Structures are given as structure tokens and as C-alpha cells.
Amino acid sequence: MTGTDHSEPTVTELRRLAAGVLIPAVGRTVVPRWVEARIADGVGGFIPYGRNITDAAQVRTMTARLHELRDHVLVAIDEEGGDVNRLEDAGGISVPGNRALGRLDDLDATREAAFQIGLSLVEAGVDWDLAPAVDAAVNPLSPNGIRCFGADRDLVSRHAAAWVEGLQAAGVSACAKHYPGHGASGTDAHLGSPRIDISREELLESYLDPFRAAIAAGVDSIMVSHDLLPQVDDVPATISHELLTVILRGELGYEGVIITDALEMAGIHDVAPLEVSAPAAIAAGADALCLGSAAFDEDTATAIDAIVAAVHAGTLSVERLRDANARLARLGTRPRADLAARDASIGERLAERVTEVDGGVVLHG
């Protein structure tokens, strides 16, 4: 990015820069006092998880409160459709998940499903959807298989682009995940680092095609997961300069926001605890740190202190922090689509198209 500020920040400015890259959980069904204080400190945004959501009015009240506390507080959420949703029973919309959409293989249907999800998020006051999952589920034991469009990278790439286009047309930023893609592993990143045994050449040849497609579609953000590619780097992708800066930024030419998957997950925490992973991820090329569903005020403070300490130690530059904050400032600025385009019937119509029945079925009244 151009126009980098090389001046030395004050102590307050440095702490605001450190806070600006953090995306912790809200933690309650109302905005707690600690969140209000952290917004004043400059924290970049917050994520409401399922247990923080009760109904449509409560969600709108929460997001409105977060937005009124400071200009440009990002509200992010995991709303993928299918099994992974937060708002389906709280004013959202029910649509088939990625695996069903991939089986249907109708790009217009995928685009429209994502657009309708986007409209529900606009109504809820959400700026940033941490979706879609664009892993290619080549391993039948992949824990994320049902969240993927399929195992074929060409199919996944086409639907990844359509999903991104649909969601962002509604005015909500999309997030292609989980870079570099752990559909080849049977390990859940919540429990350990998924191991992907491919070379750098194989990675670039076709493995990253779904992310290339999302980038070509203009995706606002990409989530990096805790995959370990031992032939590429000896640390998880979350803190890998090779995978984030050299390959994602350099080889793929991506200029949008890079956000980490939750830093509380064992896939990174067992390798690098928060005080290590937070500054290391930013130094490697990430712009935003998802701290996880159980990360509240104490973890936010830990991350801020660790980032500030890394700047003082010379292992993280102020310029890298400013660059990350500048990228995040562009999120949540898309024009919102007209909510009159909402179509609550789309889920039922798509479900009828994707339903498959094997064997004899007996319906009981």
C-alpha cells in the first residue's frame, strides 16, 4: 500500500494501532461494559456467536449499539447457510449449505442464496460475513466436508466466486476461508494443526484455485487457518510469512484483508499461545486477528500488550500495523442493497431442488 506513515507513534497511538487489528467475541446478549471500553481504546470489531443471539430485535439492538459507540466498528459473524448459521432463528434466512449447492451446481442459485443471506445480514446490522468456506473436500474424513461445495476444485472455484459475488452485492463483505485450504486433511483445526503434505509447486499449480477464484471475484477478505504445510514452511499458515506475504500477497496478488481463524484453537495455540501468535500473525502478513468465541477482555488485553511489546522488540514494524489498520478501514463500506429484494421462499425452493431420497420412504401422518 502507498502513503505509509513512517513517523514514530505515541504510546497511545501505538496501543490504538494494536487494538485496531483485534476482533474478539462480544460474549453476551447485550454489549457489556468491557466492550464499550475496548471500542474507546480502538478495537477493530467484534463477533457475536450463537450463544450471544436470541432473536431478531436483540441482534439489531446489539449491532446498533456497537456501531454508535464509534465510527467504523466492524460487526462480523459466521453465516454460511446450511449447518453453520447464527441468525436462521433470529430474523435470518434458511438456505441450503455449500455441499447441497455444489451438488445442485447452479451458479445463479448459489449467487442468489448468498445474496439473500447478505440481505438478512444488512437487516441485522452486520458488516462482515466470515463466509464462504472454499476448501475442496478431497479427504472424505474432512471435518468441514459438509461446509464445502465439493471435492472438485473447478466446481468449488466456480461456486466460491458466485457466493462472494452474491453476498457482496447485498452490501456485506465476504471472507473466503480457510486459506490455504484444509479439505485434504482429516484434522479439525480446533483440535490440532491440519497437515497438508504438498510441495510449494503443487500448492501453486491448482490447490489454491478456489482462492484465486474468490480473489478474481473481488472478495473483501480471506481467512487463514492453522494448516501446517511442512514442505512450504515449518509453522502453521496463521503465522507463516511465506504463505501469507510471499504466496497470498505476492504470487496471488491479493490486496484485501487477511484475517486469522480463531487464535484460541489448538491448531495454533498448542504451537504458539496468544501472546506469541498475535504479533507473529500480523508480522507474517495478517491484518486482523479473530481471538475466538471465548476471548473476552483479558485476552484482548493480552494481545494488545503482546503486539506493543513486539514493536518495541523490533520483531513487528509500526508500518505493518498501520498497513493492517488501513486495510480494515475499507471493510464495511459497501453500499447496502434494498431490503425489498428479500425473498424468504428461496430456502424452501432450493431445498426442494437439492433433496435426494434413497430407498423406500414411508410418510407417517
Side-chain angles (χ1 to χ4, degrees):
M1 299 179 72
T2 59
T4 302
D5 183 356
H6 294 284
S7 62
E8 286 297 317
T10 65
V11 172
T12 299
E13 289 170 337
L14 178 55
R15 292 192 68 82
R16 288 191 71 83
L17 287 170
V21 301
L22 303 182
I23 316 290
V26 172
R28 293 179 60 189
T29 56
V30 296
V31 178
R33 286 192 294 273
W34 77 265
V35 165
E36 296 188 4
R38 289 300 177 186
I39 287 176
D41 292 341
V43 166
F46 292 86
I47 302 176
Y49 290 89
R51 61 178 175 271
N52 310 137
I53 293 170
T54 58
D55 57 55
Q58 174 263 334
V59 172
R60 289 195 294 269
T61 298
M62 174 190 288
T63 59
R65 179 58 179 158
L66 290 168
H67 285 140
E68 73 181 12
L69 287 168
R70 195 191 73 227
D71 287 342
H72 202 261
V73 175
L74 291 165
V75 179
I77 203 165
D78 289 296
E79 193 76 9
E80 300 178 11
D83 287 356
V84 180
N85 66 79
R86 306 290 184 246
L87 299 178
E88 185 174 331
D89 297 322
I93 192 165
S94 176
V95 297
N98 288 356
R99 175 52 65 91
L101 292 172
R103 291 288 292 271
L104 186 61
D105 198 12
D106 178 340
L107 295 180
D108 287 338
T110 293
R111 194 175 290 109
E112 181 62 19
F115 180 68
Q116 291 298 328
I117 287 176
L119 291 179
S120 73
L121 295 180
V122 169
E123 187 172 43
V126 173
D127 310 295
W128 187 9
D129 190 5
L130 303 178
V134 302
D135 308 286
V138 295
N139 186 333
L141 299 179
S142 171
N144 289 338
I146 196 67
R147 299 163 63 192
C148 305
F149 292 110
D152 179 78
R153 286 195 180 83
D154 177 66
L155 179 143
V156 173
S157 297
R158 289 186 287 108
H159 285 272
W163 212 100
V164 167
E165 291 164 356
L167 184 83
Q168 294 190 163
V172 176
S173 290
C175 183
K177 60 187 185 185
H178 307 80
Y179 175 86
H182 52 222
S185 172
T187 300
D188 186 336
H190 291 84
L191 307 177
S193 296
R195 184 183 178 96
I196 313 296
D197 284 310
I198 60 173
S199 67
R200 191 179 192 278
E201 291 71 25
E202 291 172 306
L203 181 72
L204 292 171
E205 182 180 354
S206 63
Y207 195 86
L208 295 177
D209 282 356
F211 294 95
R212 286 191 176 93
I215 291 168
V219 70
D220 284 347
S221 64
I222 288 176
M223 177 178 283
V224 56
S225 191
H226 314 310
D227 307 339
L228 179 63
L229 282 67
Q231 296 184 53
V232 179
D233 204 344
D234 58 2
V235 294
T238 330
I239 56 175
S240 169
H241 182 270
E242 180 70 19
L243 283 160
L244 299 189
T245 296
V246 177
I247 294 178
L248 184 52
R249 293 281 188 220
E251 297 283 353
L252 273 62
Y254 183 58
E255 288 297 325
V257 167
I258 300 174
I259 180 172
T260 70
D261 209 340
L263 296 182
E264 68 181 11
M265 290 181 176
I268 185 64
H269 190 270
D270 288 353
V271 176
L274 181 59
E275 60 269 24
V276 176
S277 65
I282 300 297
D287 305 299
L289 307 178
C290 173
L291 299 186
S293 63
F296 308 124
D297 193 35
E298 183 178 350
D299 295 298
T300 303
T302 296
I304 292 172
D305 290 344
I307 291 169
V308 169
V311 172
H312 289 320
T315 56
L316 173 63
S317 71
V318 174
E319 289 75 18
R320 176 76 271 279
L321 262 183
R322 285 178 170 143
D323 175 50
N325 276 266
R327 282 196 171 90
L328 278 168
R330 300 201 297 260
L331 286 183
T333 59
R334 288 183 172 273
R336 306 298 201 185
D338 189 345
L339 291 178
R342 285 201 68 175
D343 178 7
S345 70
I346 186 174
E348 183 177 352
R349 288 187 284 108
L350 287 177
E352 290 175 351
R353 293 179 62 190
V354 302
T355 299
E356 297 180 2
V357 178
D358 293 321
V361 178
V362 178
L363 299 179
H364 298 279

